[in-house]
Amino acid sequence: MHYRSNTRPALASSLASPLALGLLLASTGLGCGGGALESSFVAVHHSMSSMNLSQVGATQRGKLKKGAQASHSMKLERGKCYVVVGLGGKGVENLDILIQDSDGNTVARDNTYDAYSSAKWCTQKNVDSKIVVGMAAGAGQYVLSVWTRAQGDGDSAGSAGGTCASPVELELGTSVSGNTTGAQSSTQGSCGQAAAPEHVYQVTVEERSQLRAVLQSQYDGMLYIMSECGGTELACNDDSPNATRSEVRTTVEPGTYFVVVDGFNQASGAYELVVSASPMQAVVAVCGEAKALQWGQPESASTQGATDDFAASCAGGAHSPDHVYSMEVTERSRVRVHQRSDYDSALHLRSTCEDSTSEIACNDDSVDQQHSAITTVLDPGTYYVFSDGFQTDNSGNYTLQADQAPEGGGDGAGNSCSNAVELDLNDWADVDTFALQDSLAGSCGGGDSSDQVFQFNTRKKVRARIEVEKAQFAGALYVRSKGCANAEDEALCINWSQGESTFVETVLEKGNHFVAVDGDEGGDIDFGQGRLRVSTTDFEKLSQVCSDARKVEGGDRIAGNTASSDDTFHASCAGNTKSRDDVYQLVLENRSNVTIELSGDFDTALHLRSSCMESTDEIACNDDAEEGERNAKIETTLEAGTYYIIADGFQEDQHGSYSLRVDVTER
């Protein structure tokens, strides 16, 4: 979020109401366009004065032709809100008003088409302003006046709100206007930078309710609710849907709560706040109406229009509309609950519906923001599944499903070497070990965990790149080439953590190969879903690339461009460097300190290997050096030997011109 100045602010209700009344008097029976201009102005003056508004400066009068403008100078004081009112006489069809600051910038303007007009501006500093009157349509005389509210009223700087030490009591269902300019800054919300001054209000809720607060501001406002002022935050919003409006909703039990009107960064100014509460059904009653999920059967519904009854430990507290379901587990089992939606959804699971401390698991994003999933092992009992949304006001259509499998798994596709799943090279394949049992183990893990076996064939010698991504479980991946069941035929074995993506590159001979995706018995969950891909590069072609690598030595400064290069090499950092790259060869005669620096007109990445072919020989990888994202740097000590330097880019599609620098100091 960024601070935005308001060039066309709406009138705050505290000033809009008397203004509207004044204009109504001016246009009813008196008729500005009918010639009674002075009578109309008198009516406006009486109406504004009766609402505790006072005129600033002298009344300005003039006469304009169609399309002509006139300007009037006016000194405006810091921390005050001003309303400029213009009335047109006979022949005037559309009178326009602009307010300009000391630099000539238009900060407010009229947006009506009529013989009368108005504009409002709340100043943050003393300003020598200009008020520009324009005759947009028609011609004739006009009267111009400037009004402000008496000191101490709601639009004056620092007025209306309190502090954490002395909050202002606010009655639910009522609105209050204020101005945070010059107020204290002692607390801040989680949804934005908040070094701005704030106002604190206190509300009392008598029964379980949905508490709703709406802030309309003349600046980039921010709004949050706390159960303890300066302590536990229940909800926070910066922009809804823009910088001058914020809205928060949260479910609260009977008690006292604090509503804070703040500003993004250091913004402050005039505002209007409305806080209301809508009684809600007791949690016990909501839980009693929970619909039972049937195993393997999808359940589709929408949370739009639902209430926010439950919160969670993830998804920003999950203070969005939600639905609750019950789930019966008759024997200790593997359980998976997954959801897809058309909004940023979340899932959480409890053993006791009304008790938030009984939460077993919570998931916000699985694969992406529109998917959530929970995978676990549960003892016999009744459990509760909550279809929810990220933070506040995320709701929509969703489909939810609960699956169950034996604790030890069972048979299925890919459960053993004899029914390995055939892989299509270069395409992603779905992995799912949820319902499978343990049949294999690798040298780096996989004992006593479910696994799934895949197979592929290479017609010639290749370098294979094997990737696992979006795995719901911690796992191990191992490759066997001569035979599947024999552990001695293992070519490699790597591990990954839950939710992590990983890859490995290795050289494989012509023939049949097996890839086992296994669970890591040391992880919290060692079964679930993920994705697997095997892609190959012709070994002879890659060998040629490596042998053709330009040789560099200490002191070299090289200019290059990867725009026409291939994506040949990948690394452990920089999103696995799936961009176009160039490779260089460095030969060291003695043990040396080596510094390699890369800069470019794109987001560069740099990696160093002891052999050209295999990623397992990576020595170092760097994405962003201290100088920024377009610079990468590796400093290391290397023994005598041959090394490969790869100039690469962050993730995908990062390529272009670059400069490579190599410095070598023998030790």
Side-chain angles (χ1 to χ4, degrees):
M1 309 297 178
H2 301 283
Y3 176 78
R4 308 167 183 86
S5 61
N6 302 312
T7 57
R8 298 191 65 173
L11 294 178
S13 62
S14 55
L15 287 179
S17 296
L19 175 59
L21 178 58
L23 295 177
L24 179 63
L25 291 172
S27 60
T28 304
L30 298 174
C32 296
L37 185 57
E38 291 303 320
S39 297
S40 298
F41 174 72
V42 171
V44 170
H45 192 284
H46 288 332
S47 175
M48 302 292 262
S49 298
S50 69
M51 299 302 292
N52 202 29
L53 294 172
S54 58
Q55 186 172 345
V56 180
T59 303
Q60 305 291 331
R61 293 174 172 82
K63 185 176 181 179
L64 293 172
K65 296 179 180 180
K66 181 179 179 180
Q69 290 184 336
S71 63
H72 302 273
S73 298
M74 177 70 66
K75 290 185 178 293
L76 304 182
E77 296 180 13
R78 173 185 178 274
K80 287 188 176 182
C81 292
Y82 296 87
V83 177
V84 180
V85 180
L87 301 174
K90 183 179 180 179
V92 176
E93 298 177 19
N94 184 18
L95 188 71
D96 277 348
I97 289 177
L98 303 177
I99 304 177
Q100 295 180 340
D101 63 14
S102 303
D103 298 322
N105 301 312
T106 298
V107 293
R109 67 184 304 158
D110 165 64
N111 58 7
T112 64
Y113 187 98
D114 215 320
Y116 54 83
S117 58
S118 67
K120 177 189 173 183
W121 186 36
C122 298
T123 62
Q124 306 301 313
K125 59 183 179 179
N126 294 330
V127 176
D128 291 325
S129 69
K130 282 188 178 181
I131 300 170
V132 180
V133 182
M135 193 63 66
Q141 296 181 338
Y142 67 88
V143 175
L144 188 73
S145 58
V146 181
W147 303 82
T148 190
R149 190 173 292 282
Q151 185 68 27
D153 205 282
D155 280 319
S156 300
S159 66
T163 62
C164 277
S166 182
V168 171
E169 187 77 31
L170 183 61
E171 184 179 350
L172 291 171
T174 61
S175 64
V176 63
S177 297
N179 192 313
T180 58
T181 305
Q184 296 182 18
S185 177
S186 58
T187 187
Q188 63 181 25
S190 63
C191 55
Q193 303 174 33
E198 74 269 341
H199 280 170
V200 180
Y201 295 91
Q202 176 180 299
V203 296
T204 302
V205 178
E206 301 293 341
E207 57 184 321
R208 186 172 187 267
S209 304
Q210 183 176 77
L211 193 60
R212 178 174 181 252
V214 178
L215 173 69
Q216 190 72 50
S217 60
Q218 294 289 323
Y219 61 101
D220 193 347
M222 187 166 68
L223 184 65
Y224 43 101
I225 298 175
M226 296 180 166
S227 58
E228 298 176 8
C229 199
T232 304
E233 180 187 286
L234 302 179
C236 184
N237 179 255
D238 178 18
D239 299 340
S240 178
N242 53 50
T244 60
R245 186 182 186 278
S246 302
E247 180 176 345
V248 290
R249 304 185 189 196
T250 187
T251 300
V252 296
E253 300 298 328
T256 299
Y257 299 90
F258 300 89
V259 181
V260 183
V261 176
D262 211 326
F264 184 79
N265 201 358
Q266 298 182 0
S268 63
Y271 65 85
E272 181 178 10
L273 173 69
V274 179
V275 183
S276 59
S278 302
M280 293 177 61
Q281 189 179 19
V283 173
V284 174
V286 176
C287 291
E289 296 175 357
K291 184 176 182 179
L293 287 175
Q294 304 300 315
W295 297 112
Q297 299 297 313
E299 183 70 34
S300 298
S302 175
T303 54
Q304 289 181 335
T307 55
D308 172 29
D309 290 298
F310 304 95
S313 63
C314 71
H319 296 295
S320 290
D322 45 50
H323 286 165
V324 59
Y325 296 88
S326 64
M327 185 172 65
E328 293 293 333
V329 178
T330 57
E331 60 181 335
R332 183 171 171 83
S333 308
R334 296 179 181 180
V335 173
R336 176 170 63 201
V337 185
H338 49 104
Q339 174 177 271
R340 69 177 185 275
S341 63
D342 59 8
Y343 60 100
D344 192 348
S345 59
L347 277 177
H348 39 118
L349 175 68
R350 296 181 184 177
S351 59
T352 304
C353 182
E354 62 272 20
D355 183 7
S356 62
T357 64
S358 72
E359 182 181 282
I360 297 169
C362 184
N363 179 257
D364 176 16
D365 299 334
S366 175
V367 181
D368 56 37
Q369 292 182 345
Q370 282 71 50
H371 291 79
S372 302
I374 291 174
T375 304
T376 188
V377 175
L378 297 177
D379 289 316
T382 302
Y383 298 88
Y384 296 88
V385 176
F386 303 89
S387 176
D388 215 320
F390 179 74
Q391 289 187 345
T392 59
D393 296 325
N394 271 299
S395 62
N397 302 310
Y398 67 87
T399 298
L400 177 72
Q401 182 172 318
D403 298 318
Q404 186 180 33
E407 182 183 7
D411 294 328
N415 191 56
S416 65
C417 294
S418 60
N419 67 345
V421 178
E422 192 73 31
L423 277 178
D424 292 326
L425 292 176
N426 304 313
D427 291 337
W428 286 104
D430 291 330
V431 175
D432 193 353
T433 62
F434 172 72
L436 301 181
Q437 60 188 7
D438 175 43
S439 59
L440 297 174
S443 62
C444 63
D448 298 324
S449 295
S450 298
D451 45 59
Q452 191 168 22
V453 184
F454 299 83
Q455 65 176 342
F456 63 96
N457 184 269
T458 57
R459 297 181 179 180
K460 54 185 175 181
K461 190 176 183 180
V462 298
R463 185 200 64 183
R465 174 180 169 84
I466 306 166
E467 302 170 82
V468 174
E469 71 169 22
K470 299 175 181 177
Q472 298 173 340
F473 56 99
L477 179 147
Y478 38 99
V479 177
R480 295 177 181 176
S481 294
K482 295 181 180 179
C484 175
N486 191 350
E488 295 180 357
D489 293 326
E490 181 181 284
L492 62 89
C493 187
I494 61 170
N495 301 99
W496 70 86
S497 301
Q498 185 175 350
E500 184 182 52
S501 295
T502 191
F503 80 98
V504 65
E505 292 173 345
T506 189
V507 176
L508 298 176
E509 299 291 337
K510 174 184 176 181
N512 204 35
H513 308 278
F514 297 87
V515 179
V517 180
D518 212 329
D520 183 352
E521 61 273 19
D524 294 334
I525 296 296
D526 59 358
F527 54 84
Q529 293 176 310
R531 299 208 302 170
L532 171 70
R533 180 169 66 181
V534 177
S535 50
T536 60
T537 302
D538 181 87
F539 180 81
E540 296 300 328
K541 179 181 177 181
L542 183 60
S543 296
Q544 191 64 46
V545 171
C546 292
S547 63
D548 290 344
R550 177 177 172 177
K551 291 180 172 58
V552 295
E553 57 186 24
D556 280 355
R557 308 292 184 264
I558 299 168
N561 194 311
T562 55
S564 59
S565 304
D566 293 326
D567 174 26
T568 306
F569 302 96
H570 303 93
S572 61
C573 72
N576 294 154
T577 62
K578 299 176 183 179
S579 294
R580 301 171 187 267
D581 46 55
D582 287 341
V583 60
Y584 296 87
Q585 186 183 103
L586 173 67
V587 178
L588 300 177
E589 299 295 336
N590 299 289
R591 189 168 190 257
S592 304
N593 293 330
V594 177
T595 300
I596 310 166
E597 296 176 88
L598 177 69
S599 61
D601 59 6
F602 59 99
D603 192 348
T604 61
L606 184 65
H607 41 121
L608 176 68
R609 295 181 176 185
S610 59
S611 72
C612 185
M613 292 290 189
E614 302 194 24
S615 63
T616 52
D617 292 323
E618 180 182 284
I619 297 170
C621 183
N622 179 258
D623 176 13
D624 298 332
E626 294 180 0
E627 292 81 2
E629 67 177 18
R630 295 190 172 187
N631 298 276
K633 184 176 182 179
I634 291 174
E635 294 180 285
T636 187
T637 299
L638 300 175
E639 301 297 331
T642 300
Y643 300 90
Y644 294 86
I645 300 167
I646 297 135
D648 215 321
F650 179 76
Q651 290 185 345
E652 301 176 3
D653 300 323
Q654 292 291 326
H655 53 261
S657 299
Y658 66 85
S659 175
L660 180 69
R661 174 175 176 165
V662 180
D663 290 308
V664 176
T665 304
E666 291 188 359
R667 296 193 64 179

